[in-house]
Structure formats: structure tokens, C-alpha cells
Amino acid sequence: MLETAIKADARTERQVAYPEPLFILCPPRSYSSIVCGILGQHPQCYGLPELNLFLGDTLGEVWTGFGTFMKSFGRHGLLRTLAQLHDGVQNEETVARAQEWILARTDWPIRKVFDHIQELVGPRILIDKSPSTLFRAEFLERALKQFPDANYLHLVRHPRSTAASVLSLRAAHEQIARMANNALFDPERIWRVSHELSVTLTEPLPLGQSMRLKGEAMLANLEIYLPQICEWLGIRSDPEAIEAMMHPENSPYACEGPPNAPRGNDPNFLENPSIDTERLARIREASLIGELSWRPGENFDPRTVKLARQLGYS
């Protein structure tokens, strides 16, 4: 009882000082970079690159875990964030200092790391969009345990267009293609497992704590969806705030980082972070029916079709 009371007091103190963060849940290639970039430019929010903090219980577990992913570009988002917030600029020196800072605090619980970032940002809503949160059930469970009162945005994209985007990225980036050279990384499987996790583990949350959005609909109708998201988060939705959100390119993370931490976000977003309203207006949902380009002669697994229809696709 005493422990519960202490946790409740700590939660109350944090709520007084800082708002609860927002976590965007989705597999890779689901519009999360542009959506995080848009929401993060709201004057009351702060969009983060991919921190990947839920891969372990401590900063050390995160830093050395999950194989090649965290030994390469999986670290870039956290390095860029710390460099930006500690030194006000991202260059090779500040990123090196960020790495020294991390290596001196490998015993820190991930919640302490996140709270440190929150203190540096101040009373703005932190927005994290790490697709790795859905790599395993334990990662999302860790997020929900560490942030039981946070808001969760389940962002979805049609499985066919998600897979096409995944394959296009792998074709353009040899390092990513090498990491994904395994049946476990079949784009349909990643899509289905990730969304099954998100649906299953966020369903028990209290009404209003999570929101599910089709990325295609949101990006094609920003003038409709942005005020609704603001209302959900309890933040301003006046013209000045909406106009700020229309410029994700103003984020300090909306460009390639220094050579020792160049990524931390989707490569395509880093190359072209501005909103192209004409292109977004042309987004059309694909079909669940038909042969898969990456597995000739095969169609979607019935489990994928069932889940996609549950999420509003046809």
C-alpha cells in the first residue's frame, strides 16, 4: 500500500510539472515520421526522433541490446536528442559528448532517461514515434508500464502500401536490406504482428487514452484531423498553432544529422521533410485483393485481411 501511495504521489507531482507524453504506435513505413514531425511542431509539443528506449529496462540494456539495430542507426535518435538538448546543436563533437553522457549512465532506468529529456524540454508534450516499440510484446508492455497515463496514437497504413514502402526503402539502402534478409522481416508479417500487438495491448486502456488513425485519411485531410488531435490532447487548435504544425521541416531533427549520428528518422523524411499537400491529396488506399509483388503467386494471409478490415481497409 505504501509503495502504491508513493507511486501515486510521484505521478501526481509529474502531472503538475509536465504533461503526459504521446507515443505513436505503428510498424515502420507507416507515415510516423511525417506525423510526428507535424504534431511535434505544435507550440505545446516537442517531436522527438526515434529514441528506441523501450528495448530494455536500463539505458545500458537499450544501448547494447537488439543486435545490429542498436549497434548502428538505432542509436542515432537518442544521440541527436541529447546533443540538441544538452548543447543546442548537433555536430560530431556534441554527439560524441552525448555518447559519453550515455556511457556514464548505463545503470539509469529508462524512465529516468525520459524524465531527464522532459526536464530539458520543459512543459511541452514529448512525442515519440519509435517503431521498435512494436518489435516485441514486452517492449510495448514496458512502455505501458512506465507510462500508464500517457496518450497512445495507433497509426495505421494499408498493408500493401506499407509493404511497398518497406521494399522500396530496402532497395535504396543496402545496410537496411542486409538487416532484413530473413523471413521474420517479411513486410506482411511485420505489419500484422505490429498491429495485432497495438490493438491487443491498447484496447484495455481507459476511453480516450488512445486514438486510432488511418494515416492516408489524416494526411489527405490535415485541416480536419489536426484540430481533432489538438482537442484530444487538450492543446490549442487556433490558426497560429495549426500553421506551425504545417511546417515539420522546422524541427531540429528534420534533416540528416552529423556523420556519427546521421539518422534517427525515416531516410525519406530526412531528405524531404516538408508537407507536399498536392501529393498527400492524391493518396489512395490500395486493395487487399491481388497477388503480392514480393511473394509472386501468393495473396495476403487471411489473418492479415481480417485485421486490415478491422482497421478499416478493403
Side-chain angles (χ1 to χ4, degrees), residues 75-116:
R75 297 176 170 181
H76 295 181
L78 182 57
L79 285 169
R80 294 185 63 178
T81 299
L82 293 172
Q84 180 69 35
L85 294 176
H86 286 167
D87 292 294
V89 64
Q90 301 166 49
N91 57 40
E92 289 188 77
E93 289 184 5
T94 60
V95 165
R97 279 200 290 275
Q99 177 151 321
E100 291 173 4
W101 186 93
I102 289 169
L103 294 177
R105 293 163 179 80
T106 53
D107 61 334
W108 273 28
I110 56 167
R111 177 62 194 246
K112 186 174 181 179
V113 179
F114 203 91
D115 286 348
H116 173 71

Side-chain angles (χ1 to χ4, degrees), residues 162-201:
T162 301
S165 183
V166 167
L167 296 171
S168 175
L169 185 72
R170 290 177 186 173
H173 297 272
E174 186 179 353
Q175 184 184 22
I176 296 175
R178 283 201 305 272
M179 290 174 57
N181 186 24
N182 186 309
L184 290 174
F185 294 97
D186 178 86
E188 178 191 356
R189 179 189 173 281
I190 292 174
W191 185 94
R192 186 177 64 249
V193 170
S194 297
H195 287 301
E196 283 175 346
L197 275 179
S198 187
V199 169
T200 302
L201 294 181

Side-chain angles (χ1 to χ4, degrees), residues 39-230:
L39 302 183
Q41 286 308 109
H42 188 286
Q44 293 171 268
C45 298
Y46 189 88
L48 296 159
E50 296 172 11
L51 299 184
N52 299 311
L53 279 180
F54 297 119
L55 304 185
D57 287 320
T58 66
L59 185 53
E61 290 179 10
V62 171
W63 200 246
T64 58
F66 217 73
T68 307
F69 173 69
M70 280 307 293
K71 290 182 174 61
S72 57
F73 54 84
R75 297 176 170 181
H76 295 181
L78 182 57
L79 285 169
R80 294 185 63 178
T81 299
L82 293 172
Q84 180 69 35
L85 294 176
H86 286 167
D87 292 294
V89 64
Q90 301 166 49
N91 57 40
E92 289 188 77
E93 289 184 5
T94 60
V95 165
R97 279 200 290 275
Q99 177 151 321
E100 291 173 4
W101 186 93
I102 289 169
L103 294 177
R105 293 163 179 80
T106 53
D107 61 334
W108 273 28
I110 56 167
R111 177 62 194 246
K112 186 174 181 179
V113 179
F114 203 91
D115 286 348
H116 173 71
I117 293 171
Q118 180 76 75
E119 289 171 3
L120 294 170
V121 168
R124 286 184 281 175
I125 297 174
L126 291 180
I127 304 176
D128 175 79
K129 47 85 48 183
S130 304
S132 63
T133 305
L134 295 183
F135 283 180
R136 293 179 184 169
E138 66 186 87
F139 299 163
L140 179 54
E141 289 168 348
R142 184 175 286 122
L144 292 165
K145 181 180 179 181
Q146 294 292 327
F147 295 93
D149 298 320
N151 290 305
Y152 292 87
L153 173 60
H154 181 194
L155 185 63
V156 300
R157 182 182 184 182
H158 195 285
R160 190 178 297 276
S161 53
T162 301
S165 183
V166 167
L167 296 171
S168 175
L169 185 72
R170 290 177 186 173
H173 297 272
E174 186 179 353
Q175 184 184 22
I176 296 175
R178 283 201 305 272
M179 290 174 57
N181 186 24
N182 186 309
L184 290 174
F185 294 97
D186 178 86
E188 178 191 356
R189 179 189 173 281
I190 292 174
W191 185 94
R192 186 177 64 249
V193 170
S194 297
H195 287 301
E196 283 175 346
L197 275 179
S198 187
V199 169
T200 302
L201 294 181
T202 60
E203 208 165 56
L205 294 176
L207 185 66
Q209 191 175 345
S210 66
M211 172 185 279
R212 183 175 301 145
L213 279 180
K214 291 169 71 173
E216 297 93 336
M218 176 191 168
L219 293 173
N221 302 279
L222 289 171
E223 73 284 2
I224 296 173
Y225 281 89
L226 292 186
Q228 292 180 7
I229 295 172
C230 291

